[in-house]
Amino acid sequence: MKKVAIIGAGIAGIASAIRLAHKGYAVEVFEANEYAGGKLSSFEQNGYRFDAGPSLFTLPHLVEELFQLVGQKASDFFEYERLSTICHYFWEDGTRLNAYAEPPKFAQEVEKVLGISATKVEEFLKDSAFKYEVLDGLFLQDSLHKLSTWTSKKALRGYLNLPKLGIFGTMNHANERYFQHPKLVQLFNRYATYNGSDPYQTPATLNIIPHLEYNVGAFFPKKGMVDITNVLVDLAKSIGVKFHFQYRVKEILTQNQQIIGIRVVSQDRGEQELFFDKVVSNMDVTHTYRKLLPQSPHPDKLLNQPKSSSGVIFYWGVKKAFPELGLHNILFSDDYREEFRVMFEDKKIFKDPTVYINISSKHKPDDAPEGCENWFVLINAPANEGQDWDKLIQDLRQQVIDKVSRILSCDLASLIETESILDPRSIELKTSSAQGALYGNSSNNKYAAFLRHANFSKNIKELYFVGGSVHPGGGIPLALSSAKIMAKEL
């Protein structure tokens, strides 16, 4: 039986382990941390539970098909619910809008609050569905680095619809042209942040993202986001995958440009060389080359591409319940364009940041003490380039508290009884994400899809890549898709 080593127990690494074990390989996963999941993990503090990273769950069939693959029924192990309201939106002028999950209801809400025709909103979501249907088969299910992908029937359909896919214009330009209303443009522009991009630079192709929430659905795992990690680790173990936690991979071993194994270090066994037929890296592709393959040629042009945004996260235990808030909440900046310019050009955080608040205790009450809420507060931030993060975070914390206090008419500072903070430095330290970027390379140009590394190495035989830094991109659905593509190639 051929042996495969997987570096990193992030969600893509776990999914890869399941797929390869199902194919008949002996699979071992090596994780530097003492827990699985990477960004998709959790922690508890002073009676509050926090999901540490991703907070939005879409395309649940990508999780379910891993169970189906090995002949099990996902619903026996994993429960989730569809959200009736996707997000609550707030602006400084007092405007509030509930983004209901059903497109007709959402469209009516937009018409009532913003005066934009409900028909126009529904047409936009239908167009989003069309774009996704065309691009899903081409970009998200197959490697872009194989000739067969570009000569397939799916590719032909893509070529025929190229002018409709938004590849040649920006997301903001498309949204302004379609809606005109600045608040609705801002609402749909925010979907650029789902892969760490700037809506004023990224292609309008990313207008496929609203389709996932409104036409397919946004969901919440009943045991929290971390349950995705937990059930998939259990599934992997049940089919023979071995996990090694607190085992740090120091080097990928090659001979004549072919994989022969890995060098690992652990507290219990020290440093050792382990031999494998194939290696799959779920580590950021930049760190994989620069740290684990120091003697091999590096694709520097690709690795040196500008990085996506990162984030600063405040985990706050708040000793009050806010009925006007839901699971997902956005408090918008009054100058969105300047916010993104400051982030991607000045490499700083805008003085009036957009604030995202996720409160899992709205759906899972035991995540916070009675009458309290667990706030996951995310502010988009530039990747780490040596900024004075301590000063930036100190200023940002006060700006966020002031903004939330104004919009929600409360004294937030007095309500925070426990706090933890994650910033680009600690994101890089905990998850090996280059510069703390959450989604690998930036998608701020029309060639972005082609500037992600393939799911295999062209120079080193039997070396493969999965996760948010490689094709097809970041976020839970795309990370799971990367494992599927890799398994096809391997």
Side-chain angles (χ1 to χ4, degrees):
M1 184 182 289
K2 289 196 172 183
K3 297 171 62 181
V4 179
I6 296 179
I7 303 171
I11 196 68
I14 302 166
S16 298
I18 293 167
R19 291 187 175 278
L20 298 185
H22 174 68
K23 279 176 170 272
Y25 293 99
V27 182
E28 298 185 44
V29 182
F30 297 85
E31 169 58 54
N33 292 309
E34 60 185 9
Y35 55 86
K39 301 179 184 75
L40 193 57
S41 55
S42 69
F43 67 94
E44 295 185 15
Q45 185 168 297
N46 299 332
Y48 293 84
R49 190 198 71 86
F50 298 94
D51 284 311
S55 56
L56 176 68
F57 184 37
T58 57
L59 300 183
H61 74 273
L62 294 174
V63 173
E64 292 173 339
E65 70 180 19
L66 293 169
F67 285 89
Q68 295 164 2
L69 188 68
V70 300
Q72 297 191 34
K73 193 175 178 182
S75 58
D76 290 341
F77 306 93
F78 180 56
E79 292 186 295
Y80 59 88
E81 59 182 305
R82 182 171 182 169
L83 303 179
S84 58
T85 302
I86 293 171
C87 191
H88 297 257
Y89 292 101
F90 300 81
W91 285 268
E92 290 271 6
D93 65 3
T95 303
R96 296 184 177 187
L97 189 150
N98 294 328
Y100 297 110
E102 299 302 324
K105 190 175 181 182
F106 170 59
Q108 289 295 331
E109 172 80 351
V110 170
E111 184 170 278
K112 182 179 76 173
V113 176
L114 302 180
I116 302 295
S117 161
T119 301
K120 202 167 184 64
V121 175
E122 290 194 71
E123 287 174 351
F124 179 86
L125 294 177
K126 287 177 182 175
D127 182 64
S128 178
F130 168 77
K131 286 183 170 70
Y132 181 83
E133 187 183 341
V134 173
L135 292 168
D136 176 44
L138 181 59
F139 285 93
L140 306 182
Q141 295 185 31
D142 293 303
S143 172
L144 293 185
H145 304 81
K146 294 280 188 174
L147 180 61
S148 57
T149 300
W150 299 103
T151 56
S152 66
K153 288 183 179 179
K154 291 183 290 188
L156 177 60
R157 188 180 180 212
Y159 302 147
L160 293 175
N161 288 286
L162 208 57
K164 302 176 183 177
L165 299 180
I167 292 173
F168 304 110
T170 68
M171 173 185 272
N172 177 71
H173 178 71
N175 292 341
E176 280 188 336
R177 187 176 57 188
Y178 197 85
F179 289 119
Q180 286 85 52
H181 195 293
K183 284 186 170 63
L184 194 56
V185 170
Q186 188 176 31
L187 188 155
F188 283 112
N189 275 357
R190 90 169 184 91
Y191 286 98
T193 66
Y194 280 35
N195 74 346
S197 302
D198 176 354
Y200 303 93
Q201 297 185 62
T202 201
T205 314
L206 288 190
N207 277 330
I208 66 173
I209 298 175
H211 164 69
L212 303 183
E213 293 187 6
Y214 292 97
N215 298 318
V216 180
F219 305 87
F220 179 74
K222 291 188 177 181
K223 295 181 182 178
M225 292 295 291
V226 73
D227 198 41
I228 301 171
T229 295
N230 293 339
V231 298
L232 291 183
V233 167
D234 289 343
L235 177 62
K237 288 179 178 178
S238 75
I239 58 173
V241 175
K242 295 180 180 178
F243 286 85
H244 305 278
F245 294 105
Q246 294 183 291
Y247 270 63
R248 184 169 60 86
V249 177
K250 289 187 67 177
E251 186 179 355
I252 295 173
L253 303 175
T254 63
Q255 190 173 75
N256 299 322
Q257 295 301 99
Q258 170 135 357
I259 289 293
I260 60 170
I262 56 176
R263 178 177 287 111
V264 299
V265 61
S266 63
Q267 285 186 340
D268 56 342
R269 296 198 175 185
E271 189 170 310
Q272 55 184 322
E273 291 186 355
L274 303 173
F275 298 98
F276 291 90
D277 300 289
K278 304 171 190 288
V279 169
V280 178
S281 179
N282 183 203
M283 189 178 185
D284 186 288
V285 67
T286 300
H287 284 341
T288 300
Y289 277 106
R290 299 261 161 85
K291 295 185 176 182
L292 306 187
L293 290 161
Q295 307 304 320
S296 299
H298 298 171
D300 288 324
K301 186 174 181 180
L302 186 150
L303 301 183
N304 291 334
Q305 289 294 317
K307 299 305 177 191
S308 78
S309 65
S310 182
V312 173
I313 304 171
F314 298 99
Y315 305 94
W316 284 335
V318 177
K319 54 184 180 182
K320 180 183 175 181
F322 288 79
E324 64 269 49
L325 298 178
L327 176 65
H328 303 292
N329 311 274
I330 294 283
L331 284 61
F332 274 122
S333 166
D334 272 349
D335 193 341
Y336 218 36
R337 184 184 290 271
E338 181 65 5
E339 181 177 8
F340 282 95
R341 189 202 67 76
V342 168
M343 179 163 56
F344 284 103
E345 291 184 21
D346 298 346
K347 310 296 183 184
K348 296 179 181 178
I349 301 174
F350 187 44
K351 62 184 178 181
D352 173 32
T354 293
V355 178
Y356 166 71
I357 305 172
N358 174 257
I359 310 171
S360 66
S361 61
K362 294 288 187 181
H363 287 257
K364 188 174 176 292
D366 62 351
D367 279 355
E370 188 174 354
C372 303
E373 294 179 344
N374 63 332
W375 285 24
F376 167 107
V377 182
L378 169 66
I379 295 86
N380 294 312
N384 182 26
E385 296 188 11
Q387 297 94 326
D388 184 352
W389 287 108
D390 293 335
K391 179 65 166 64
L392 284 174
I393 291 167
Q394 180 183 353
D395 293 343
L396 176 63
R397 184 181 188 277
Q398 190 60 53
Q399 289 159 357
V400 171
I401 287 174
D402 290 346
K403 185 182 188 76
V404 174
S405 297
R406 284 195 308 272
I407 292 177
L408 299 184
S409 301
C410 68
D411 177 13
L412 179 60
S414 67
L415 300 174
I416 299 170
E417 63 175 358
T418 188
E419 176 181 76
S420 188
I421 301 173
L422 194 67
D423 65 57
R425 299 168 300 182
S426 46
I427 290 171
E428 181 167 22
L429 183 66
K430 290 183 176 184
T431 68
S432 290
S433 301
Q435 297 175 235
L438 294 176
Y439 306 94
N441 287 350
S442 161
S443 295
N444 287 339
N445 68 69
K446 60 188 176 185
Y447 305 110
F450 311 100
L451 295 174
R452 288 190 173 274
H453 197 286
N455 302 103
F456 58 90
S457 170
K458 294 180 180 178
N459 298 318
I460 301 173
K461 292 180 181 178
E462 310 301 353
L463 174 61
Y464 301 85
F465 299 90
V466 295
S469 69
V470 297
H471 177 71
I476 296 172
L478 298 188
L480 291 172
S481 296
S482 75
K484 190 173 185 178
I485 295 168
M486 178 280 300
K488 284 184 189 178
E489 297 302 326
L490 185 145

